[in-house]
Amino acid sequence: MAAKGREIRVLGLPVSDSTMEETLAYIDKTVAEQGYARIVTMNAEIAYLAATDQKVRHIIETADYVTSDGSGILWAAERYGTPLKERVSGIDLVQHLLARGKHRFYFLGAHPDVIETAMMKIHSDYPDVSIVGYHDGYFKEEESAAIAQEIAAAQTDILFVAMGFPKQDQWIMEHREEAGIHVAIGVGGSLDVLSGNVKRAPKVFQKMGMEWFYRLCTDPKRIKRMMALPKFMSLVKKDCKK
Ligand code: UDP
């Protein structure tokens, strides 16, 4: 099995203390060994949900590898006295994997027009990429088996599921064997970014750990979801005092 490196705990949940390069090496090794890894890209909202819901917690605890998708996780790691080397977000991970021209990828998620546009953009931005298939994320549960079989028939190495947490991760857990993949990663709204429909925050916001603020300003509907961030911070502060 590919080595995972050091893991730290945030609200008792595992997080890998790895750089982007180390994460890519773990993925390469898992594919090379024909192994299997389910990767969760965890932000503060996901950690808060997991800390307050046992079923959601199970999704994180049983993952093979958990990356620090958001700056809230890095902030928490500092508070616990176990700082992480760097942030490894889902969208950065997808872009790094696509840029390297290795592996066979399948994308599952987003609205039909969004995934079509994303596929066109990916082929033009990464001419050497091998996308072996894709499917939008709005299908009936009874279609899942056929989608998983299509993923297997395409000899997919890496499956990106972009249907939001926890739906995407549950889909992976239920269908990974049928889909016969080596690495499966839940990547949230990545296809919205890859299609150009959603703009990422400028680098300066990302560096300051303020990407969430930019997202909130550009999409105020997210306010309800983002209320998880102060709740997450308060839980971490309490946990650190124990
Ligand atoms: N989505 C999907 N199927 C669903 C529900 C959502 O494919 O049944 C997609 C949605 O279109 C969007 C993504 O999942 O592209 C979720 O994006 P969100 O911004 O919520 O994810 P985050 O990055 O915040 O986890």
Side-chain angles (χ1 to χ4, degrees), residues 109-111 137-138 162-165 167 187-189 192 215 222 225:
H111 284 285
Y138 293 86
M163 302 197 293
F165 181 89
K167 189 172 186 178
V187 291
D192 299 296
R215 275 183 105 177
R222 296 183 78 92
R225 282 178 57 175

Side-chain angles (χ1 to χ4, degrees), residues 43 45-46 69 108-111 114 136-139 162-165 167-168 187-192 215 222 225:
N43 60 19
E45 186 188 344
I46 293 176
D69 179 65
L108 176 62
H111 284 285
V114 172
D136 69 79
Y138 293 86
F139 52 86
M163 302 197 293
F165 181 89
K167 189 172 186 178
Q168 58 197 18
V187 291
S190 293
L191 283 164
D192 299 296
R215 275 183 105 177
R222 296 183 78 92
R225 282 178 57 175

Side-chain angles (χ1 to χ4, degrees), residues 69-72 87 89-92 193 198-218 222 226 229:
D69 179 65
S71 53
R87 180 178 170 203
S89 74
I91 180 66
D92 284 332
V193 175
V198 170
K199 294 268 170 289
R200 271 198 89 181
K203 283 269 180 297
V204 53
F205 280 78
Q206 292 180 36
K207 282 208 176 107
M208 288 186 333
M210 297 289 281
E211 194 162 12
W212 63 270
F213 180 67
Y214 179 87
R215 275 183 105 177
L216 183 60
C217 294
T218 50
R222 296 183 78 92
M226 284 197 177
L229 187 58

